[in-house]
Amino acid sequence: MSELTTNERASAYLPTALYYMLWTLIVAVSVHDGYLVLLNRWTIAVDEMNPVGRWLIATNGGDVRFLLITKLTGTIVAAAILLILYWRKPRLAWIICPIVAVAQTGLAVYLTSY
C-alpha cells in the first residue's frame, strides 16, 4: 500500500479548493451588494435597477428591509444549493458554479463602476 506524496495530495484537493473559492466569490459579491443597498438605503428607491427590487421597496413604503431579507434568503438558498450540488453531483456543480461566479463578477464590476 503506497502513501500519496505531498504533491499528489495537494493535486487531489485543488479542484475542491477552487470550487470553494468560486462559491466564496459568489457569496461575497452578494453580501457586498446587500451592504451597498443598506449603505444607500436613502436613495436606493430611485437607484435600484431591478424591477423586483423596486417593487419590494415600494411594497414596504420605501424601506429596504424586504429587499434585504429577500437578498439574504436568496443568497443562503443559492449557496446551500451550490454546496449540496457539489457534494451530490460534482459534474453538474462544475457547470453551474462557474457560470454563476462569472455573472456575480459582472455584477461586482457593475456595482463598483456605478
Side-chain angles (χ1 to χ4, degrees), residues 65-86:
R65 194 170 307 151
F66 286 174
L67 177 60
L68 287 174
I69 290 169
T70 303
K71 283 180 176 288
L72 175 64
T73 303
T75 298
I76 291 169
V77 168
I81 288 171
L82 286 172
L83 285 178
I84 292 167
L85 197 59
Y86 184 67

Side-chain angles (χ1 to χ4, degrees), residues 10 13 19 22 25 37 43 46 52 67 71 85 94 105 107 112:
Y13 289 117
Y19 187 87
L22 290 173
L25 170 74
V37 167
T43 61
V46 176
V52 175
L67 177 60
K71 283 180 176 288
L85 197 59
W94 269 110
T105 302
L107 175 63
T112 56

Side-chain angles (χ1 to χ4, degrees), residues 77-101:
V77 168
I81 288 171
L82 286 172
L83 285 178
I84 292 167
L85 197 59
Y86 184 67
W87 298 332
R88 302 255 172 109
K89 296 185 183 276
R91 285 184 177 202
L92 182 59
W94 269 110
I95 294 169
I96 295 171
C97 191
I99 293 170
V100 175

Side-chain angles (χ1 to χ4, degrees), residues 2-113:
S2 66
E3 296 273 333
L4 291 176
T5 66
T6 304
N7 286 340
E8 289 170 334
R9 200 174 305 120
S11 295
Y13 289 117
L14 187 60
T16 300
L18 181 58
Y19 187 87
Y20 288 139
M21 285 191 294
L22 290 173
W23 181 87
T24 302
L25 170 74
I26 292 165
V27 172
V29 170
S30 184
V31 169
H32 180 68
D33 183 27
Y35 170 73
L36 290 176
V37 167
L38 187 61
L39 190 65
N40 298 301
R41 64 187 169 274
W42 310 114
T43 61
I44 197 67
V46 176
D47 295 337
E48 179 62 45
M49 302 294 286
N50 185 338
V52 175
R54 282 186 287 186
W55 177 79
L56 287 167
I57 293 168
T59 301
N60 201 26
D63 191 5
V64 297
R65 194 170 307 151
F66 286 174
L67 177 60
L68 287 174
I69 290 169
T70 303
K71 283 180 176 288
L72 175 64
T73 303
T75 298
I76 291 169
V77 168
I81 288 171
L82 286 172
L83 285 178
I84 292 167
L85 197 59
Y86 184 67
W87 298 332
R88 302 255 172 109
K89 296 185 183 276
R91 285 184 177 202
L92 182 59
W94 269 110
I95 294 169
I96 295 171
C97 191
I99 293 170
V100 175
V102 167
Q104 287 292 86
T105 302
L107 175 63
V109 168
Y110 174 76
L111 291 174
T112 56
S113 65

